[in-house]
Amino acid sequence: MAQTQKKKTPQNHYLVTESYLMTRGAALHFPSKQFQNLISTNDTVYGLIVDMPVNPQTLITLVIYINGAANLYFNNGGSYTGASQRYSTVAQLGRGLVAQSNRILGEATRTKKLDLPTGREHHIFLLTKNGTYRKAFLPTELKDESSDLQSVFALYQRLMQELNAVQMKDRAKARTQK
């Protein structure tokens, strides 16, 4: 009987800047006390950090908090921040995503290892008062994951689309103000 082998994905180690590592580290260690009035239990997710490989050279980290704040950080040191303060759609999507992420907490493993992805794997870090939890998966294998994870994936993809749209609005506005 033939054995099926799991597909190997390339193991890219993304080149990162010091500013990226510091910003990502700060996001992963953001204190819950900032959101005391929004956190109902010690297991309530108050922050979601998603590391998403885009191509062999580019890694994006999406950081979302329970209040709707949503920021993007790029391994080359670039960032896009503050959109949730200017665009209510970003804040609404961010709040909904963090609320939905509570449903995958049981699938995640409590961790102190805050490693960057290698290859194409996405890493989701869930921040709670009880600690940080990690869920890793390959988007190409998403059909084999829970419907809750599929929903979280769809929501963060939707948030990424909205962040892209408002970033374009910001750029257009900046050009007209010159």
Side-chain angles (χ1 to χ4, degrees), residues 15-172:
L15 298 176
V16 297
T17 63
E18 186 176 340
S19 65
Y20 168 80
L21 289 175
M22 290 177 59
T23 306
R24 180 180 178 271
L28 285 161
H29 293 94
F30 202 79
S32 62
K33 66 183 176 188
Q34 301 291 330
F35 309 113
Q36 253 346 76
N37 58 336
L38 300 173
I39 300 173
S40 56
T41 71
N42 286 346
D43 288 328
T44 298
V45 174
Y46 69 85
L48 187 71
I49 291 84
V50 183
D51 294 323
M52 295 175 280
V54 177
N55 60 45
Q57 293 79 37
T58 308
L59 177 65
I60 297 174
T61 297
L62 173 63
V63 176
I64 318 102
Y65 293 111
I66 197 168
N67 66 348
N71 299 310
L72 293 173
Y73 302 102
F74 303 90
N75 63 311
N76 68 1
S79 65
Y80 181 63
T81 62
S84 61
Q85 295 168 341
R86 295 185 304 279
Y87 300 100
S88 63
T89 54
V90 171
Q92 289 169 342
L93 284 167
R95 284 190 298 270
L97 174 54
V98 173
Q100 181 70 20
S101 70
N102 281 288
R103 298 181 68 174
I104 64 166
L105 190 59
E107 299 177 38
T109 305
R110 191 169 178 184
T111 188
K112 291 184 189 279
K113 187 178 177 187
L114 307 173
D115 57 329
L116 290 169
T118 56
R120 296 180 183 125
E121 193 173 69
H122 285 208
H123 289 186
I124 299 175
F125 293 95
L126 306 155
L127 306 181
T128 73
K129 283 184 171 183
N130 281 336
T132 301
Y133 294 78
R134 177 181 176 269
K135 173 68 179 169
F137 71 98
L138 284 167
T140 55
E141 315 262 329
L142 190 62
K143 67 183 180 339
D144 299 329
E145 298 288 346
S146 73
S147 60
D148 289 332
L149 181 62
Q150 291 174 17
S151 177
V152 166
F153 178 80
L155 286 170
Y156 75 70
Q157 293 299 312
R158 174 69 183 101
L159 180 57
M160 290 291 291
Q161 291 171 345
E162 186 63 22
L163 285 166
N164 185 50
V166 299
Q167 187 177 29
M168 296 302 217
K169 288 179 188 178
D170 286 349
R171 285 182 182 160

